[in-house]
Amino acid sequence: MASKARTVDINEDVTKSLRKFRFQRRSQGHAAIVIKIDKAALKMAVDEEYDNISIEDLVEELPRNSPRYVMLSYELKHRDGRISFPLVLINWAPSSSETTMMTLHASALLDFQRVAEANKTIEVRDTEEVSPRKSLTKNFYPNLSVLYPHPQYNISWTSRFYIP
């Protein structure tokens, strides 16, 4: 059986951390796990884990010049009073990132989506072309408008759907 060649390896530690994050019970707030690519080793590693963090604080914590994969579990209050915690993958890819890192990040995205079992992805880039609220409401999911990070940032939000 031939093995599939990958540009960036996904460590077993990353896979275990993602699985733990997916199945962790939450009672309130947002939680996130941030994954980075180690350029020298060509491997993914867990950068940070956050529990009960606001979206604004999460955006402030993310680097401005380096791409990251962010699995976010956010609190969603339904009209009937129920609360759920859907998962979404945020592909954090600032346009000011180094070209080689952006290339590695883009080449590993589909493999990461598969391992993270992410059905929905929001791609975040610095741009002045698209209003985040309009794009989110129109292209992704209206209740994710809470992800609008900060009024001073112009960020493009698009959705992708990964079908395993």
Side-chain angles (χ1 to χ4, degrees):
M1 181 165 110
S3 66
K4 182 178 172 185
R6 289 186 179 160
T7 310
V8 178
D9 287 329
I10 302 172
N11 291 347
E12 187 66 31
D13 293 341
V14 171
T15 306
K16 286 179 182 177
S17 294
L18 287 170
R19 181 172 300 280
K20 179 182 170 191
F21 182 79
R22 283 184 64 81
F23 295 111
Q24 190 173 21
R25 295 263 184 220
R26 292 182 175 72
S27 60
Q28 67 179 20
H30 310 304
I33 183 170
V34 181
I35 308 296
K36 68 179 180 178
I37 295 176
D38 180 352
K39 183 179 169 182
L42 294 178
K43 293 184 179 185
M44 289 187 195
V46 175
D47 188 28
E48 289 285 338
E49 291 187 44
Y50 301 100
D51 195 27
N52 205 16
I53 187 169
S54 72
I55 299 301
E56 293 81 11
D57 289 343
L58 177 61
V59 169
E60 290 298 321
E61 292 293 325
L62 292 171
R64 298 286 174 255
N65 297 313
S66 184
R68 297 288 191 266
Y69 303 114
V70 181
M71 282 298 293
L72 175 69
S73 171
Y74 66 97
E75 184 175 345
L76 176 63
K77 295 179 182 178
H78 299 273
R79 291 180 186 159
D80 63 1
R82 292 178 298 124
I83 298 176
S84 63
F85 295 88
L87 291 173
V88 64
L89 171 62
I90 300 173
N91 181 23
W92 181 261
S95 58
S96 59
S97 299
E98 183 182 326
T99 305
T100 55
M101 285 304 296
M102 289 294 283
T103 304
L104 285 174
H105 187 80
S107 69
L109 178 61
L110 290 177
D111 284 334
F112 185 78
Q113 282 177 316
R114 183 184 49 75
V115 169
E117 299 179 31
N119 291 323
K120 298 190 182 196
T121 300
I122 298 175
E123 190 165 298
V124 180
R125 296 178 184 266
D126 302 321
T127 181
E128 296 178 10
E129 297 172 5
V130 180
S131 164
R133 289 184 187 212
K134 286 182 187 175
S135 181
L136 271 175
T137 304
K138 185 176 175 184
N139 296 327
F140 190 66
Y141 192 78
N143 291 320
L144 286 180
S145 60
V146 297
L147 292 177
Y148 182 71
H150 215 277
Q152 72 190 38
Y153 300 118
N154 290 317
I155 297 178
S156 169
W157 302 77
T158 58
S159 66
R160 293 186 191 184
F161 298 95
Y162 172 72
I163 302 170

